[in-house]
Amino acid sequence: KQEVTQIPAALSVPEGENLVLNCSFTDSAIYNLQWFRQDPGKGLTSLLLIQSSQREQTSGRLNASLDKSSGRSTLYIAASQPGDSATYLCAVYNAGNMLTFGGGTRLMVKP
Amino acid sequence: DVKVTQSSRYLVKRTGEKVFLECVQDMDHENMFWYRQDPGLGLRLIYFSYDVKMKEKGDIPEGYSVSREKKERFSLILESASTNQTSMYLCASSFFRRGELFFGEGSRLTVL
């Protein structure tokens, strides 16, 4: 059974810092991996989707990488801003149409 | 932009009441999903649907049912609400079966 882990569970950084969020998965036979952002009390917002054949995807200040062989994905946020404060979740689709979510990393960017 | 709309952001119901949570998407997506999210338990899949009038049980279907009479609308029904169904309910849709998932704003249900 696929397990998805996000460490750390919480992270606090000063504004302007570049940071990396981690996502690990136990079964490397994935179809794709998606990163989401969730603000308190709200739904999830899709940030980036990486297909299993891709190594990375970029959107603005966000860059997500995927290393299937090591079971890892990272979300890089450049020049962090207080508005980036949120919980970030990754989710992995296996070939069997099963989607597994990580527990999330709660990010706080301090002005 | 894809829009997934959940009809109620906050609901308060009494134990034993029947509860309807409505979800509508405007992008002609085939696939729709209902999740609940609880602190410490993460997101758990309740039901999903790959087509009109089609439904499949997820990981925690007990106490819930769903209806998909039209492609754009997927309803979650709590036949007899219980306090352990107090939760945040999230609807999602996707075009492809394992495609990018788009979520609604969520419905916070409190059962007293």
Side-chain angles (χ1 to χ4, degrees):
Chain A
K1 181 186 173 186
Q2 178 75 275
E3 292 182 8
V4 180
T5 305
Q6 293 184 250
I7 295 174
L11 181 64
S12 180
V13 300
E15 181 177 4
E17 193 164 296
N18 301 325
L19 59 100
V20 173
L21 305 180
N22 298 298
C23 173
S24 301
F25 45 93
T26 54
D27 183 352
S28 62
I30 66 169
Y31 187 78
N32 60 38
L33 184 145
Q34 192 168 358
W35 281 95
F36 297 91
R37 167 192 174 129
Q38 186 175 30
D39 294 292
K42 299 284 187 68
L44 280 67
T45 300
S46 176
L47 297 174
L48 290 163
L49 174 73
I50 311 178
Q51 300 294 345
S52 62
S53 58
Q54 297 175 314
R55 297 283 293 187
E56 64 179 74
Q57 281 282 2
T58 298
S59 176
R61 292 183 295 109
L62 305 179
N63 176 278
S65 68
L66 175 64
D67 184 344
K68 277 193 351 176
S69 60
S70 66
R72 291 190 60 192
S73 175
T74 60
L75 180 66
Y76 174 85
I77 303 177
S80 58
Q81 303 169 358
D84 294 329
S85 298
T87 296
Y88 292 81
L89 297 103
C90 65
V92 172
Y93 255 122
N94 285 87
N97 293 341
M98 294 301 299
L99 182 65
T100 305
F101 283 87
T105 294
R106 191 170 67 253
L107 172 67
M108 176 171 289
V109 180
K110 297 182 176 179
Chain B
D1 279 356
V2 175
K3 190 150 182 70
V4 180
T5 303
Q6 294 184 230
S7 56
S8 304
R9 292 277 287 122
Y10 301 96
L11 302 95
V12 180
K13 299 291 182 180
R14 299 241 174 241
T15 301
E17 281 192 80
K18 191 169 185 176
V19 181
F20 292 87
L21 299 179
E22 304 284 337
C23 176
V24 177
Q25 49 90 7
D26 66 355
M27 284 300 291
D28 203 34
H29 283 177
E30 298 282 343
N31 313 297
M32 298 189 74
F33 308 82
W34 275 106
Y35 288 88
R36 65 177 282 177
Q37 184 178 33
D38 301 284
L41 296 176
L43 280 96
R44 292 180 290 169
L45 182 63
I46 305 172
Y47 267 96
F48 60 99
S49 170
Y50 288 149
D51 201 352
V52 176
K53 296 195 186 292
M54 178 268 185
K55 60 186 177 185
E56 293 282 349
K57 293 180 180 179
D59 300 320
I60 52 162
E62 296 78 20
Y64 303 94
S65 63
V66 290
S67 171
R68 192 159 181 207
E69 295 296 318
K70 293 186 177 181
K71 190 176 185 179
E72 67 271 18
R73 186 180 299 269
F74 193 36
S75 303
L76 181 69
I77 304 156
L78 288 68
E79 293 289 343
S80 177
S82 63
T83 54
N84 62 12
Q85 292 179 309
T86 291
S87 185
M88 169 70 99
Y89 289 88
L90 294 165
C91 175
S93 72
S94 67
F95 188 78
F96 299 108
R97 279 209 180 181
R98 289 171 288 187
E100 187 174 7
L101 208 54
F102 297 90
F103 281 84
E105 282 288 282
S107 297
R108 170 77 62 184
L109 172 66
T110 301
V111 182
L112 302 175

